[in-house]
Amino acid sequence: MEGSAQFPPPGFFEIVAGDAPHSRGAHGDRKAPTMTEAPLRGVTVLDMSTILAGPMAASLLGEFGADVIKIEEPRHGDPARSYPPLVEGVSAQWSVLGRNKRSVTVDLHQPGAAQVVGRLAAAVDIVVTNFRPATLRRFGVDFDDLVAFRPDLVMVHVSAFGRTGPYAERPGFARVAEAFAGLTHRTGEPDRPPVFAGYPVADGVTGIYAAFTALLALRQRDRTAEPQLVDLALYEPLLRMMEDFIVDYDVTGHSVGRQGNENPHISPNNLYRTRDGRWLALPASTEQMWRRLVKAMGADDLAGYTDMAQRVAHRQQIEDRVHAFVGSYDLEPLMELLVDAGIAAGPVNTAEEICADPHIRARGSVVEFPDDSGHLRRMQSPAGLFSGFEGTLRSPAPGLGQHTDAVLADLAGLSAEEIGTLRANGTI
C-alpha cells in the first residue's frame, strides 16, 4: 500500500474528519467547494433501511450534503456491519456503507418505538426504508403513520416486489430481483446454466434509482406542499435498464438469452485475451469504431461488412479475427495502439490495478478516508465532478448508536429523562 501522503491526487483536500468535508479538486485551480455549496444541504434523511439498496440511496444523498440519520437495531445494528472481512470486529465494507451518517438505535419491536420514529420523521424531509409493506404496518411506521407527524413527508419505500400486486409481501434480495427481472436469464454462456453478475447489481442500481426518485419526490413536494410516497420494487430499475429486453421480445417473439460476453446487437463486442494473459474489453459499437478497428488490424477483407446487421450475421468470423489480433499483442503496447487509433477499449481491472491506475488517481475516484478508529481506508469517492459543488466525505461510518442521545434530543426534542426511560425499557 502506498503511503497516504502520496495517495491523494493533486487538488484533493485532505482534512481531518469532523473538522470539514473531504473534497476533490475537479477543475484545475478552481476553489474547492464547501458544504455551504452542497446542493442537498438542509435536507435531512431518515435511513430506516438495512444492508444495501436503501442505505445506498441514503448514502448518495449524504454525499451531496444531506444530513442522514440511520436507524439501527440496538443489539447488532445493520447486518452489513458483520459482513467479512472484519477489522477489529467491524466489516470493512461498513466504512463505505455507513460514512456520512449518524447512528441512532431504535428497537422497532418495542411499543414505544413507533412514537420515537414519528418524532424523528417530524423533523426530517425524506424517509428511506426497505421493509416489507406488512412489516411497516406492523411496526406502525408506514407512510400514513409518519405523515401524521409530518404532513409533507417524502418516503421512498424500496421492497422486493413493491407495495401492490400479488407478490407484494414476498421477501426478496438482490439476486431474487435480478432473476425476476430477467438479468440472470441472459447472463452466462449459452450452453451453461445462468449465472449471477459478479456483484449484486440490483442493490446498486436500485439504490441509485431510489436516490433519483427521492429527489423527484422532494421536488414535487416542494411544488405542491403535499406528501409524496415512492413505491419502488427492487427489480424495476433493472427491468427498465435493459432497454432491449421487452421490445425485442415483442417484435421477434424470442427472449434474448445467454450469449456469454457477446452482445446480441453488436459485433465485435467481447473480452479478448492478450498475449501476456490479460483481458481486454473491446466493443466496436459504432460504424466509426468498426472502421478504425479494421484499419488498426490491417483487415481490409473485413471492411465489406459495412453495417451492424452484416457483422452480427458474420459474428464468428469477425470474433475469431479480433481474438487472434488481440492475442498477438501484450496488453500495454496494444492499448497504446488502440488509443492512438481512437478505438474504445480497456483492460479488465482488479481492485489492485484500479488503486494503482494513474487515471483513477488523477480523478480522485479512490480516496483514503479514516474509519471510526482513525485508520485510513481506501474507498470509492462520490461519483462525478461538478462545476459548482462537490460530493464530500464528512464523517466516518459511526459506531452503533453513537448519535442516539444527541439526535433524539436535537431532532425529536426528547428530554434527558425521556431518553433515559426509553433506554431503560429497551426501546433505544
Side-chain angles (χ1 to χ4, degrees):
M1 178 183 296
E2 298 188 46
S4 59
Q6 288 75 40
F7 186 81
F12 179 87
F13 293 83
E14 186 156 84
I15 304 169
V16 176
D19 290 346
H22 277 48
S23 180
R24 294 176 293 165
H27 301 280
D29 295 328
R30 179 177 62 82
K31 177 182 177 289
T34 66
M35 275 305 296
T36 58
E37 298 165 316
L40 297 182
R41 184 182 176 118
V43 173
T44 306
V45 178
L46 192 64
D47 178 7
M48 196 168 59
S49 58
T50 61
I51 308 179
L52 291 180
M56 165 71 85
S59 291
L60 294 174
L61 300 174
E63 288 174 3
F64 293 94
D67 179 17
V68 180
I69 312 299
K70 181 168 182 61
I71 300 295
E72 298 191 75
E73 184 275 329
R75 287 169 295 280
H76 305 290
D78 192 311
R81 287 179 177 270
S82 63
Y83 285 180
L86 302 179
V87 180
E88 297 177 357
V90 179
S91 172
Q93 297 176 48
W94 179 244
S95 62
V96 178
L97 295 172
R99 67 191 188 186
N100 287 353
K101 297 183 181 182
R102 295 193 281 169
S103 174
V104 173
T105 52
V106 179
D107 186 348
L108 295 174
H109 298 85
Q110 298 299 322
Q115 183 70 17
V116 173
V117 172
R119 294 279 290 270
L120 289 172
V124 307
D125 299 282
I126 302 169
V127 172
V128 178
T129 187
N130 61 357
F131 292 108
R132 276 188 274 173
T135 302
L136 289 180
R137 294 192 295 270
R138 187 172 74 251
F139 288 154
V141 293
D142 202 0
F143 180 63
D144 291 338
D145 300 308
L146 299 185
V147 166
F149 290 87
R150 173 147 188 177
D152 63 349
L153 183 71
V154 169
M155 175 183 273
V156 177
H157 184 191
V158 178
S159 59
F161 294 96
R163 295 170 64 96
T164 62
Y167 305 158
E169 296 302 338
R170 287 186 182 183
F173 293 106
R175 296 310 196 182
V176 175
E178 291 159 21
F180 187 75
L183 178 63
T184 310
H185 166 74
R186 58 188 298 182
T187 305
E189 297 295 333
D191 58 346
R192 302 291 298 276
V195 297
F196 291 137
Y199 174 84
V201 293
D203 280 324
V205 171
T206 303
I208 294 168
Y209 202 90
F212 165 63
T213 60
L215 298 181
L216 294 179
L218 191 65
R219 168 71 168 159
Q220 186 72 352
R221 190 277 304 273
D222 291 344
R223 293 176 60 179
T224 66
E226 296 177 349
Q228 302 293 325
L229 172 63
V230 176
D231 171 12
L232 183 61
L234 191 58
Y235 73 88
E236 287 175 324
L238 287 177
L239 186 59
R240 172 63 184 86
M241 177 183 73
M242 297 184 290
E243 76 288 337
D244 61 338
F245 196 42
I246 302 302
V247 292
D248 280 15
Y249 167 73
D250 185 59
V251 170
T252 67
H254 172 69
S255 183
V256 173
R258 294 180 291 286
Q259 292 189 259
N261 292 318
E262 296 175 354
N263 184 299
H265 309 291
I266 300 169
S267 178
N269 185 105
N270 215 317
L271 295 178
Y272 305 93
R273 195 166 193 179
T274 62
R275 185 169 57 192
D276 55 350
R278 298 287 302 278
W279 288 94
L280 181 81
L282 203 169
S285 302
T286 66
E287 298 304 313
Q288 185 180 56
M289 286 296 167
W290 168 247
R291 290 193 295 270
R292 291 174 180 174
L293 180 59
V294 167
K295 183 177 179 181
M297 292 171 59
D300 294 342
D301 59 310
L302 298 180
Y305 299 134
T306 56
D307 63 57
M308 193 65 76
Q310 289 179 312
R311 296 196 289 277
V312 169
H314 295 84
R315 181 192 302 276
Q316 192 59 58
Q317 176 193 1
I318 291 170
E319 292 288 352
D320 288 347
R321 293 285 293 278
V322 178
H323 274 291
F325 167 69
V326 172
S328 67
Y329 285 86
D330 291 344
L331 178 68
E332 293 304 324
L334 177 59
M335 278 302 303
E336 290 182 16
L337 185 156
L338 296 175
V339 169
D340 288 345
I343 297 169
V348 175
N349 281 332
T350 65
E352 179 182 9
E353 288 158 348
I354 288 170
C355 289
D357 187 272
H359 187 80
I360 296 289
R361 293 162 61 85
R363 293 272 298 180
S365 304
V366 172
V367 296
E368 286 189 332
F369 192 69
D371 63 17
D372 196 37
S373 299
H375 302 299
L376 287 176
R377 300 288 174 216
R378 284 188 283 192
M379 61 183 70
Q380 302 94 319
S381 64
L385 300 176
F386 305 86
S387 62
F389 59 91
E390 191 69 83
T392 55
L393 306 185
R394 303 183 302 281
S395 61
L400 180 60
Q402 179 179 338
H403 305 97
T404 300
D405 288 19
V407 169
L408 292 184
D410 295 343
L411 264 68
L414 298 179
S415 67
E417 291 76 17
E418 290 173 309
I419 292 172
T421 299
L422 290 169
R423 181 165 284 112
N425 64 28
T427 302
I428 61 174

